[in-house]
Amino acid sequence: MFTTPFEGASGSSNAPILVVGWPGLGGVASSCVRNLSGSLHSESVSALNPDPHFMVEDIQVKNGLCFPGSLPKLVFQKVVTKSSNELILFIPEAQSLDNPLALARSVIRSAVSNFGVETVITFAAISSLLEPEEEPTVWFGSTDYHLGESLAKAGIPPLKEERICG
């Protein structure tokens, strides 16, 4: 889990929190956020245009007529929680391979301007060996020292040294 409060954010304790699940390694992160979406009442509230971030990769044929394949959906969902913070979920159907940073920046810009988001929580999977009888582990990495301290106090250990790709 990675958290990022925005530089220059007002620090509003009621600001919505963006939760992102990129469909990377094994679909672990997107599955986590889809599970949140399914278990909480969420509704689609906005979407990013996939056109600048993706290319059509296939052609679909119906009754002999060819049509361009579809681009992935990039939808924001809003979850109203019992806490003072709403959650804004972003679960893209695909990750941009050509320029993933441009897509990530578009997601952040949209979340800030449309919803007033000040904090982002993302999930990622780390490639490691895990025996079937072992419990999966959650670690954190944060760009904010104080937030990292809070997560550690809550019992979530920090990643000691890792490289996350994707």
mmCIF file of all heavy atoms in Angstrom, residues 6 18 22 48 53 76 90 96 99-113 120:
data_model
loop_
_atom_site.group_PDB
_atom_site.id
_atom_site.type_symbol
_atom_site.label_atom_id
_atom_site.label_comp_id
_atom_site.label_asym_id
_atom_site.label_seq_id
_atom_site.Cartn_x
_atom_site.Cartn_y
_atom_site.Cartn_z
ATOM 1 N N PHE A 6 -0.861 15.281 -1.037
ATOM 2 C CA PHE A 6 -0.363 16.220 -2.032
ATOM 3 C C PHE A 6 0.318 17.401 -1.398
ATOM 4 O O PHE A 6 -0.151 17.949 -0.412
ATOM 5 C CB PHE A 6 -1.505 16.709 -2.927
ATOM 6 C CG PHE A 6 -2.113 15.600 -3.696
ATOM 7 C CD1 PHE A 6 -3.413 15.205 -3.457
ATOM 8 C CD2 PHE A 6 -1.375 14.911 -4.635
ATOM 9 C CE1 PHE A 6 -3.964 14.156 -4.152
ATOM 10 C CE2 PHE A 6 -1.922 13.851 -5.329
ATOM 11 C CZ PHE A 6 -3.215 13.487 -5.081
ATOM 12 N N LEU A 18 -8.577 9.232 -2.503
ATOM 13 C CA LEU A 18 -8.543 8.459 -3.738
ATOM 14 C C LEU A 18 -7.876 7.118 -3.462
ATOM 15 O O LEU A 18 -6.787 7.054 -2.902
ATOM 16 C CB LEU A 18 -7.769 9.206 -4.825
ATOM 17 C CG LEU A 18 -7.577 8.477 -6.156
ATOM 18 C CD1 LEU A 18 -8.919 8.203 -6.836
ATOM 19 C CD2 LEU A 18 -6.662 9.286 -7.072
ATOM 20 N N TRP A 22 -4.384 -0.447 -9.638
ATOM 21 C CA TRP A 22 -3.895 -0.713 -10.999
ATOM 22 C C TRP A 22 -3.904 -2.214 -11.256
ATOM 23 O O TRP A 22 -3.557 -2.998 -10.383
ATOM 24 C CB TRP A 22 -2.488 -0.160 -11.175
ATOM 25 C CG TRP A 22 -2.402 1.330 -11.031
ATOM 26 C CD1 TRP A 22 -1.914 2.022 -9.970
ATOM 27 C CD2 TRP A 22 -2.840 2.302 -11.976
ATOM 28 N NE1 TRP A 22 -2.025 3.369 -10.203
ATOM 29 C CE2 TRP A 22 -2.589 3.574 -11.419
ATOM 30 C CE3 TRP A 22 -3.425 2.227 -13.238
ATOM 31 C CZ2 TRP A 22 -2.891 4.754 -12.084
ATOM 32 C CZ3 TRP A 22 -3.729 3.411 -13.895
ATOM 33 C CH2 TRP A 22 -3.465 4.649 -13.329
ATOM 34 N N LEU A 48 -12.223 9.019 -17.148
ATOM 35 C CA LEU A 48 -11.188 9.645 -17.973
ATOM 36 C C LEU A 48 -11.332 9.146 -19.400
ATOM 37 O O LEU A 48 -11.707 7.992 -19.627
ATOM 38 C CB LEU A 48 -9.799 9.261 -17.477
ATOM 39 C CG LEU A 48 -9.296 9.898 -16.192
ATOM 40 C CD1 LEU A 48 -7.910 9.354 -15.861
ATOM 41 C CD2 LEU A 48 -9.253 11.403 -16.306
ATOM 42 N N HIS A 53 -4.250 7.796 -23.861
ATOM 43 C CA HIS A 53 -3.387 6.887 -23.119
ATOM 44 C C HIS A 53 -3.286 5.481 -23.711
ATOM 45 O O HIS A 53 -2.391 4.727 -23.363
ATOM 46 C CB HIS A 53 -3.877 6.782 -21.675
ATOM 47 C CG HIS A 53 -4.002 8.105 -21.005
ATOM 48 N ND1 HIS A 53 -2.916 8.872 -20.632
ATOM 49 C CD2 HIS A 53 -5.101 8.842 -20.676
ATOM 50 C CE1 HIS A 53 -3.333 9.996 -20.093
ATOM 51 N NE2 HIS A 53 -4.647 9.996 -20.106
ATOM 52 N N PHE A 76 -14.143 6.501 -12.353
ATOM 53 C CA PHE A 76 -14.091 6.855 -10.939
ATOM 54 C C PHE A 76 -15.414 6.475 -10.304
ATOM 55 O O PHE A 76 -16.479 6.711 -10.881
ATOM 56 C CB PHE A 76 -13.899 8.369 -10.761
ATOM 57 C CG PHE A 76 -12.534 8.868 -11.133
ATOM 58 C CD1 PHE A 76 -12.290 9.357 -12.396
ATOM 59 C CD2 PHE A 76 -11.504 8.872 -10.199
ATOM 60 C CE1 PHE A 76 -11.044 9.838 -12.755
ATOM 61 C CE2 PHE A 76 -10.248 9.346 -10.547
ATOM 62 C CZ PHE A 76 -10.015 9.832 -11.819
ATOM 63 N N PHE A 90 -10.698 4.327 -8.109
ATOM 64 C CA PHE A 90 -10.325 4.320 -9.516
ATOM 65 C C PHE A 90 -9.754 2.945 -9.809
ATOM 66 O O PHE A 90 -8.719 2.559 -9.256
ATOM 67 C CB PHE A 90 -9.302 5.414 -9.832
ATOM 68 C CG PHE A 90 -8.960 5.501 -11.297
ATOM 69 C CD1 PHE A 90 -9.866 6.031 -12.200
ATOM 70 C CD2 PHE A 90 -7.740 5.042 -11.767
ATOM 71 C CE1 PHE A 90 -9.552 6.108 -13.553
ATOM 72 C CE2 PHE A 90 -7.422 5.120 -13.113
ATOM 73 C CZ PHE A 90 -8.330 5.653 -14.008
ATOM 74 N N SER A 96 -1.533 1.746 -18.865
ATOM 75 C CA SER A 96 -0.887 2.238 -20.071
ATOM 76 C C SER A 96 0.559 1.741 -20.093
ATOM 77 O O SER A 96 1.302 1.929 -19.141
ATOM 78 C CB SER A 96 -0.910 3.763 -20.087
ATOM 79 O OG SER A 96 -0.147 4.254 -21.160
ATOM 80 N N ASN A 99 3.004 5.190 -21.746
ATOM 81 C CA ASN A 99 3.360 6.300 -20.876
ATOM 82 C C ASN A 99 2.520 6.237 -19.604
ATOM 83 O O ASN A 99 1.602 7.027 -19.426
ATOM 84 C CB ASN A 99 3.177 7.636 -21.599
ATOM 85 C CG ASN A 99 3.837 8.782 -20.854
ATOM 86 O OD1 ASN A 99 4.248 8.640 -19.712
ATOM 87 N ND2 ASN A 99 3.916 9.923 -21.508
ATOM 88 N N PRO A 100 2.844 5.297 -18.712
ATOM 89 C CA PRO A 100 2.023 5.140 -17.514
ATOM 90 C C PRO A 100 2.028 6.361 -16.598
ATOM 91 O O PRO A 100 1.041 6.634 -15.932
ATOM 92 C CB PRO A 100 2.639 3.926 -16.813
ATOM 93 C CG PRO A 100 3.989 3.764 -17.397
ATOM 94 C CD PRO A 100 3.951 4.347 -18.766
ATOM 95 N N LEU A 101 3.116 7.115 -16.581
ATOM 96 C CA LEU A 101 3.175 8.299 -15.727
ATOM 97 C C LEU A 101 2.170 9.358 -16.193
ATOM 98 O O LEU A 101 1.541 10.022 -15.368
ATOM 99 C CB LEU A 101 4.594 8.867 -15.702
ATOM 100 C CG LEU A 101 4.836 10.008 -14.723
ATOM 101 C CD1 LEU A 101 4.467 9.606 -13.303
ATOM 102 C CD2 LEU A 101 6.293 10.451 -14.787
ATOM 103 N N ALA A 102 1.983 9.504 -17.498
ATOM 104 C CA ALA A 102 0.999 10.466 -18.010
ATOM 105 C C ALA A 102 -0.413 10.081 -17.571
ATOM 106 O O ALA A 102 -1.204 10.947 -17.177
ATOM 107 C CB ALA A 102 1.079 10.562 -19.533
ATOM 108 N N LEU A 103 -0.725 8.804 -17.606
ATOM 109 C CA LEU A 103 -2.043 8.349 -17.146
ATOM 110 C C LEU A 103 -2.189 8.597 -15.651
ATOM 111 O O LEU A 103 -3.214 9.101 -15.197
ATOM 112 C CB LEU A 103 -2.253 6.876 -17.475
ATOM 113 C CG LEU A 103 -3.558 6.260 -16.946
ATOM 114 C CD1 LEU A 103 -4.785 7.012 -17.450
ATOM 115 C CD2 LEU A 103 -3.632 4.786 -17.328
ATOM 116 N N ALA A 104 -1.173 8.270 -14.869
ATOM 117 C CA ALA A 104 -1.235 8.493 -13.421
ATOM 118 C C ALA A 104 -1.446 9.967 -13.113
ATOM 119 O O ALA A 104 -2.256 10.323 -12.249
ATOM 120 C CB ALA A 104 0.037 7.977 -12.754
ATOM 121 N N ARG A 105 -0.758 10.832 -13.833
ATOM 122 C CA ARG A 105 -0.936 12.281 -13.619
ATOM 123 C C ARG A 105 -2.336 12.733 -14.001
ATOM 124 O O ARG A 105 -2.918 13.586 -13.335
ATOM 125 C CB ARG A 105 0.123 13.052 -14.399
ATOM 126 C CG ARG A 105 1.491 12.931 -13.777
ATOM 127 C CD ARG A 105 2.551 13.659 -14.568
ATOM 128 N NE ARG A 105 3.815 13.631 -13.849
ATOM 129 C CZ ARG A 105 4.989 13.731 -14.417
ATOM 130 N NH1 ARG A 105 5.088 13.883 -15.727
ATOM 131 N NH2 ARG A 105 6.085 13.697 -13.692
ATOM 132 N N SER A 106 -2.901 12.164 -15.053
ATOM 133 C CA SER A 106 -4.281 12.492 -15.437
ATOM 134 C C SER A 106 -5.266 12.072 -14.359
ATOM 135 O O SER A 106 -6.224 12.786 -14.059
ATOM 136 C CB SER A 106 -4.660 11.808 -16.755
ATOM 137 O OG SER A 106 -3.938 12.341 -17.819
ATOM 138 N N VAL A 107 -5.031 10.913 -13.782
ATOM 139 C CA VAL A 107 -5.894 10.428 -12.695
ATOM 140 C C VAL A 107 -5.830 11.396 -11.517
ATOM 141 O O VAL A 107 -6.865 11.806 -10.972
ATOM 142 C CB VAL A 107 -5.482 9.004 -12.254
ATOM 143 C CG1 VAL A 107 -6.202 8.590 -10.980
ATOM 144 C CG2 VAL A 107 -5.735 8.007 -13.375
ATOM 145 N N ILE A 108 -4.630 11.794 -11.123
ATOM 146 C CA ILE A 108 -4.454 12.707 -9.989
ATOM 147 C C ILE A 108 -5.096 14.056 -10.277
ATOM 148 O O ILE A 108 -5.838 14.595 -9.451
ATOM 149 C CB ILE A 108 -2.954 12.895 -9.644
ATOM 150 C CG1 ILE A 108 -2.316 11.577 -9.243
ATOM 151 C CG2 ILE A 108 -2.779 13.966 -8.574
ATOM 152 C CD1 ILE A 108 -2.870 10.946 -7.988
ATOM 153 N N ARG A 109 -4.823 14.622 -11.465
ATOM 154 C CA ARG A 109 -5.416 15.928 -11.817
ATOM 155 C C ARG A 109 -6.933 15.872 -11.752
ATOM 156 O O ARG A 109 -7.584 16.763 -11.212
ATOM 157 C CB ARG A 109 -4.965 16.364 -13.210
ATOM 158 C CG ARG A 109 -3.628 17.073 -13.227
ATOM 159 C CD ARG A 109 -3.367 17.761 -14.569
ATOM 160 N NE ARG A 109 -3.367 16.840 -15.688
ATOM 161 C CZ ARG A 109 -2.305 16.150 -16.098
ATOM 162 N NH1 ARG A 109 -1.152 16.289 -15.488
ATOM 163 N NH2 ARG A 109 -2.385 15.346 -17.134
ATOM 164 N N SER A 110 -7.515 14.821 -12.300
ATOM 165 C CA SER A 110 -8.961 14.676 -12.305
ATOM 166 C C SER A 110 -9.501 14.523 -10.885
ATOM 167 O O SER A 110 -10.513 15.127 -10.525
ATOM 168 C CB SER A 110 -9.357 13.476 -13.167
ATOM 169 O OG SER A 110 -10.750 13.356 -13.229
ATOM 170 N N ALA A 111 -8.842 13.721 -10.063
ATOM 171 C CA ALA A 111 -9.302 13.492 -8.689
ATOM 172 C C ALA A 111 -9.232 14.770 -7.855
ATOM 173 O O ALA A 111 -10.122 15.040 -7.045
ATOM 174 C CB ALA A 111 -8.486 12.384 -8.039
ATOM 175 N N VAL A 112 -8.192 15.558 -8.059
ATOM 176 C CA VAL A 112 -8.044 16.805 -7.312
ATOM 177 C C VAL A 112 -9.084 17.820 -7.777
ATOM 178 O O VAL A 112 -9.796 18.419 -6.967
ATOM 179 C CB VAL A 112 -6.614 17.372 -7.461
ATOM 180 C CG1 VAL A 112 -6.516 18.788 -6.917
ATOM 181 C CG2 VAL A 112 -5.617 16.462 -6.760
ATOM 182 N N SER A 113 -9.195 18.007 -9.100
ATOM 183 C CA SER A 113 -10.098 19.049 -9.599
ATOM 184 C C SER A 113 -11.575 18.678 -9.474
ATOM 185 O O SER A 113 -12.402 19.532 -9.189
ATOM 186 C CB SER A 113 -9.760 19.415 -11.045
ATOM 187 O OG SER A 113 -9.995 18.318 -11.901
ATOM 188 N N VAL A 120 -3.866 9.988 -1.629
ATOM 189 C CA VAL A 120 -4.043 8.846 -2.531
ATOM 190 C C VAL A 120 -3.511 7.599 -1.842
ATOM 191 O O VAL A 120 -2.428 7.616 -1.260
ATOM 192 C CB VAL A 120 -3.265 9.045 -3.851
ATOM 193 C CG1 VAL A 120 -3.398 7.823 -4.746
ATOM 194 C CG2 VAL A 120 -3.744 10.281 -4.572
#
